[in-house]
Amino acid sequence: MNNTDRNTISLDTDMTFIGSGITTSFILLSFLKNLSASDDFNGRLKLTIVEKDAENFTGLAYGPRSGSSALLITSLADFLPESLIRQEFIKWLSQNKETLISELRADGGKLSENWTDTHKIDIQKNNWEDIYIPRRFFGIFIKQKVNQTIADFSSTCDFQLKIIQDEAIGIDDNLDSFQVYFKNRTESLSTKKIILSVGIPPVKQLWSDDFLSGHEQAACLVKDPYNPGLDDNLHTIATHVNKQAGPSNILIIGSNASAMEMLYKLHDVPEITAKIGSVSVISPHGELPHSGQYKPMGQQRFVPTHLLELNKKSDLTAKDIYEATSRDLDEAEAMNLGTAISEGPISKAFVNLLDRLSHEELGVFACRYGNLIGKRQRRAGKHYNEVVERLNQDGRLKLIKGYYNNLEISADNQGLIFSYRSSKSRSIREHEGLIDVVISCVGSRTLIDQPVSVLIDNLVQKGICKVNDSGIGFAVNDQQQTATNFFVAGPLLAGNVLNGMPLWHLEHCGRIIKTGERLAGILAQQLIHSTANRL
């Protein structure tokens, strides 16, 4: 990249966040708190945030692109660990519940109304912990909190905050500073430190943008539920299905949390619900979270005998823990016990065993086995599962165990022919019946896919960042740096071991908070030390 003709818009920025999502929010909250509490901080700070989207401090999951009525995939108690932030959020919910519920009713459909009716008593009593709340509630709260924290800090310190709405596409390491280049402006940004906080990589693309060119009436394709936004895509689907004479058959590729959310929202929009024919979901495991296995907790208990047996074994390896966990999960499934019952005992047992692994084996677990276990411990809330159960009862849900192969337009232009590879034989099979709506929920690319994104490809090519063995994270040192003064936060920390703790899934809010607070402490100490040396 030739950047010789670019101008510099800031020569003296202390640090720059690339990305302004939920990870950046938690780092900022703790970072500014640490500085405010320090007697050694000189009160001066220049900070820049680079964000390509218009929304700041919520990220995709908790911002407008996810709509206003999509629910948390876990209860509030599981979503936020017991902490001051949970207490503050519950107090905020209690103070703002009338406005929040009113907006939810206006935005959602029958399912949203059912949600409010189901939890009416708990909401009146402010019993929030066991509720799967609309996650937009948390987005509104955290944005308000970050903005208030910034305002409070600015009132007592010489604080300059610049937010640049643009996409960072390249970074140069100049040894004593970094130069950041943008997609839509010729100016560049000079900064002493960078915190890479861009969330997960872009989603995988299964078809080209012009696949339906000239054949738009044949089908509706959604390649990313949240781009440009969930509500936008639901409107597009509603428009298409209501042009069809009969019911529309829907295909969802992937069975993750996004797939569950799409199933829920498709049945929360009356204009879509009335037109749904069959729903097919394809994934390597051919299962949805809790689908057909969920039972209320009650008095049921599960004992992970294979994991507990490992307490007797010496020279424990990451593979030993994974294999024992897999056997315990198999037994739980055979007993028809869903994740709501088996996850707690199994997770507690294997986490306790991690303390006995060497640093090298912890790395193996972080890079390979943690995510494999996580894929089998997926769960979704009661309201999401009720939609799945209703589709099952009506005989309209088909779960396919296999891999996406191809889509092609039917000869009569009346739909799409879908083919897939079976998991066992890998032979090509054709889906019975034409598909009218296809929604891709396959998740994000790995860091070894080429291309990943302009920025990530640039960082790897220039050697500023190196992909670790997980394929989904960058290798960092104990200070969360890939290079001096270049820090990584959020999901891209996967595959590392920090403070003896292997990291393999950094999309859980509790883990984001913990690692964010850790990095905030590092950044605050470095800034205080550097300013003290200049005095």
Side-chain angles (χ1 to χ4, degrees):
M1 180 185 298
N2 184 3
N3 300 304
T4 57
D5 60 343
R6 293 179 181 263
N7 300 314
T8 300
I9 59 174
S10 175
L11 291 172
D12 189 28
T13 300
D14 291 302
M15 61 181 64
T16 297
F17 286 84
I18 308 294
S20 71
I22 201 71
T23 300
T24 292
S25 292
F26 282 119
I27 296 172
L28 278 176
L29 289 173
S30 185
F31 174 63
L32 298 181
K33 179 181 178 181
N34 288 344
L35 293 182
S36 298
S38 174
D39 294 331
D40 298 321
F41 175 53
N42 68 3
R44 295 192 296 273
L45 173 64
K46 292 183 179 180
L47 192 150
T48 303
I49 297 174
V50 178
E51 171 58 58
K52 64 181 180 179
D53 296 306
E55 183 78 3
N56 293 306
F57 307 131
T58 62
L60 187 154
Y62 312 102
R65 285 181 290 164
S66 287
S68 299
S69 54
L71 307 178
L72 291 176
I73 205 71
T74 64
S75 67
L76 175 57
D78 289 333
F79 170 69
L80 279 179
E82 181 57 52
S83 60
L84 178 60
I85 196 75
R86 190 210 281 186
Q87 296 170 20
E88 291 177 349
F89 183 40
I90 289 175
K91 180 180 179 180
W92 181 88
L93 283 169
S94 302
Q95 293 172 339
N96 295 276
K97 58 188 177 185
E98 286 81 8
T99 300
L100 295 169
I101 298 302
S102 176
E103 292 175 352
L104 175 66
R105 285 185 179 276
D107 178 74
K110 289 185 177 180
L111 295 183
S112 296
E113 187 174 343
N114 177 60
W115 183 93
T116 57
D117 292 340
T118 299
H119 297 299
K120 182 178 181 180
I121 302 301
D122 282 331
I123 292 172
Q124 288 176 349
K125 295 181 178 180
N126 296 320
N127 296 329
W128 298 95
E129 285 90 342
D130 294 330
I131 301 178
Y132 294 69
I133 66 168
R135 56 176 192 263
R136 181 71 178 122
F137 290 2
F138 186 70
I140 298 171
F141 162 76
I142 203 67
K143 183 171 184 176
Q144 289 181 4
K145 183 171 178 61
V146 172
N147 283 328
Q148 186 61 55
T149 299
I150 290 172
D152 293 343
F153 188 78
S154 300
S155 68
T156 59
C157 299
D158 180 9
F159 180 43
Q160 298 178 37
L161 172 63
K162 184 177 184 65
I163 297 180
I164 300 174
Q165 187 182 340
D166 205 338
E167 181 180 357
I169 59 172
I171 296 175
D172 284 339
D173 186 350
N174 299 327
L175 298 182
D176 60 344
S177 67
F178 295 92
Q179 206 76 17
V180 183
Y181 305 100
F182 303 99
K183 180 179 181 179
N184 299 311
R185 62 187 70 202
T186 58
E187 304 94 340
S188 65
L189 170 69
S190 179
T191 181
K192 297 184 180 87
K193 298 178 187 292
I194 285 182
I195 298 90
L196 184 67
S197 181
V198 294
I200 60 175
V203 298
K204 299 174 184 175
Q205 300 297 310
L206 297 180
W207 53 79
S208 64
D209 291 338
D210 61 352
F211 174 68
L212 284 180
S213 180
H215 301 274
E216 287 78 9
Q217 71 273 27
C220 173
L221 299 179
V222 176
K223 63 179 180 180
D224 179 353
Y226 312 109
N227 185 17
L230 179 59
D231 290 342
D232 299 286
N233 284 319
L234 290 171
H235 176 74
T236 300
I237 293 171
T239 299
H240 179 79
V241 298
N242 279 283
K243 289 179 179 178
Q244 311 305 309
S248 294
N249 296 326
I250 295 174
L251 169 68
I252 297 178
I253 304 171
S255 62
N256 52 20
S258 295
M260 292 295 287
E261 186 162 287
M262 289 306 300
L263 283 170
Y264 179 81
K265 288 302 299 178
L266 289 172
H267 288 79
D268 195 33
V269 179
E271 295 83 359
I272 298 176
T273 306
K275 298 290 290 185
I276 294 177
S278 66
V279 179
S280 299
V281 181
I282 182 169
S283 67
H285 294 289
E287 299 174 352
L288 286 166
H290 282 177
S291 179
Q293 300 179 34
Y294 179 80
K295 287 185 178 180
M297 289 292 287
Q299 299 299 313
Q300 293 174 297
R301 296 290 182 268
F302 178 74
V303 179
T305 56
H306 298 287
L307 280 167
L308 295 178
E309 278 293 315
L310 291 183
N311 288 304
K312 304 174 184 177
K313 180 178 173 61
S314 59
D315 300 323
L316 198 62
T317 67
K319 186 177 181 180
D320 291 333
I321 296 176
Y322 167 68
E323 290 179 342
T325 302
S326 297
R327 288 194 290 270
D328 284 325
L329 285 168
D330 289 342
E331 290 189 0
E333 290 177 4
M335 296 166 65
N336 200 32
L337 300 180
T339 308
I341 297 171
S342 65
E343 181 184 35
I346 288 177
S347 295
K348 181 179 179 181
F350 83 69
V351 169
N352 288 339
L353 289 168
L354 295 178
D355 291 335
R356 294 178 50 201
L357 294 181
S358 66
H359 184 81
E360 180 181 10
E361 285 295 319
L362 284 172
V364 173
F365 192 90
C367 286
R368 178 172 175 78
Y369 296 116
N371 278 318
L372 291 177
I373 293 172
K375 288 179 180 179
R376 295 193 62 186
Q377 288 189 307
R378 301 169 307 156
R379 51 178 166 162
K382 171 187 175 184
H383 297 277
Y384 281 9
N385 279 288
E386 285 177 347
V387 173
V388 175
E389 290 169 4
R390 193 176 308 125
L391 282 169
N392 265 323
Q393 291 170 1
D394 295 343
R396 293 188 294 134
L397 178 64
K398 181 178 182 181
L399 299 178
I400 304 171
K401 188 174 183 179
Y403 300 85
Y404 170 88
N405 179 64
N406 192 37
L407 287 170
E408 59 182 283
I409 302 167
S410 64
D412 59 3
N413 206 34
Q414 295 301 304
L416 296 177
I417 300 169
F418 170 57
S419 62
Y420 62 95
R421 291 177 287 114
S422 62
S423 295
K424 291 183 179 180
S425 64
R426 296 298 182 99
S427 60
I428 304 297
R429 299 183 181 182
E430 190 171 293
H431 181 273
E432 183 179 349
L434 296 179
I435 301 295
D436 301 287
V437 178
V438 183
I439 305 169
S440 175
C441 296
V442 294
S444 62
R445 305 169 190 172
T446 70
L447 298 181
I448 56 178
D449 291 330
Q450 290 296 322
V452 182
S453 72
V454 177
L455 178 61
I456 288 177
D457 294 345
N458 173 268
L459 292 171
V460 173
Q461 290 165 7
K462 291 187 175 180
I464 297 175
C465 294
K466 179 182 178 181
V467 181
N468 61 35
D469 290 341
S470 72
I472 58 174
F474 288 134
V476 301
N477 63 16
D478 195 51
Q479 300 290 299
Q480 294 182 215
Q481 298 176 104
T482 64
T484 302
N485 288 327
F486 192 101
F487 301 84
V488 174
L492 294 181
L493 280 175
N496 288 286
V497 180
L498 298 176
N499 287 352
M501 178 60 65
L503 305 175
W504 64 88
H505 181 69
L506 274 297
E507 296 174 51
H508 182 277
C509 207
R511 297 188 188 104
I512 290 174
I513 293 173
K514 189 172 183 178
T515 55
E517 290 177 343
R518 181 183 187 276
L519 179 55
I522 293 170
L523 294 171
Q525 285 300 313
Q526 288 189 359
L527 180 62
I528 292 168
H529 180 72
S530 65
T531 55
N533 287 343
R534 291 201 297 266
L535 297 177

